């Protein structure tokens, strides 16, 4: 995974599973920022576990996923492109909640 600046995030792997048109993306260490007193998301916080389930439409992956036991109003967003010929995924992962949010870029290739 990569920060918005393009810098690689250390020890932050992402797993992308594609079965038919169903896509599952898991990232155990998605960076996030907490809500500051001024109302902006600037306060550093511990990385969060990310999981998104979506669908393929052509080569495009998209989907909003709310964890079944979340109950906190959080949801995960995944948008990107899957290239079946090279088994590669390039996209953006985001999480939004009441108290924090985070976004990272993912470039993954089947090992």
């Amino acid at each position: 995974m990569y920060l918005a600046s393009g810098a690689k995030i250390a020890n932050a792997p992402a797993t992308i599973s594609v079965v038919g048109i169903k896509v599952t993306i898991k990232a155990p260490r998605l960076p996030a920022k907490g809500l500051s007193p001024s109302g902006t998301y600037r306060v550093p916080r511990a990385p969060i576990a990310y999981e998104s389930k979506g669908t393929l439409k052509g080569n495009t992956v998209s989907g909003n996923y709310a964890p079944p036991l979340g109950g906190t109003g959080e949801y995960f967003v995944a948008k990107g492109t899957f290239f079946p010929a090279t088994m590669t995924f390039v996209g953006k992962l985001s999480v939004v909640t009441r108290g924090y949010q985070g976004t990272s870029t993912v470039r993954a290739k089947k090992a």
Side-chain angles (χ1 to χ4, degrees):
M1 293 193 339
Y2 298 85
L3 295 172
S5 65
K8 187 170 180 159
I9 303 168
N11 299 318
T15 305
I16 294 107
S17 302
V18 179
V19 178
I21 63 166
K22 301 288 183 186
V23 179
T24 302
I25 301 172
K26 294 182 181 182
R29 297 180 44 93
L30 183 77
K33 298 280 186 175
L35 190 61
S36 71
S38 67
T40 59
Y41 292 94
R42 294 185 184 175
V43 180
R45 66 165 311 225
I48 59 161
Y50 176 95
E51 180 180 1
S52 179
K53 296 181 181 182
T55 58
L56 273 174
K57 292 180 183 168
N59 286 354
T60 303
V61 176
S62 65
N64 292 350
Y65 176 71
L69 301 176
T72 60
E74 70 182 19
Y75 64 93
F76 301 107
V77 178
K79 294 183 180 188
T81 304
F82 176 69
F83 302 97
T86 58
M87 299 298 283
T88 305
F89 173 80
V90 176
K92 184 186 273 189
L93 308 180
S94 309
V95 61
V96 177
T97 72
R98 289 185 213 140
Y100 61 90
Q101 67 183 14
T103 301
S104 286
T105 301
V106 174
R107 288 176 244 154
K109 185 172 183 173
K110 184 174 180 174

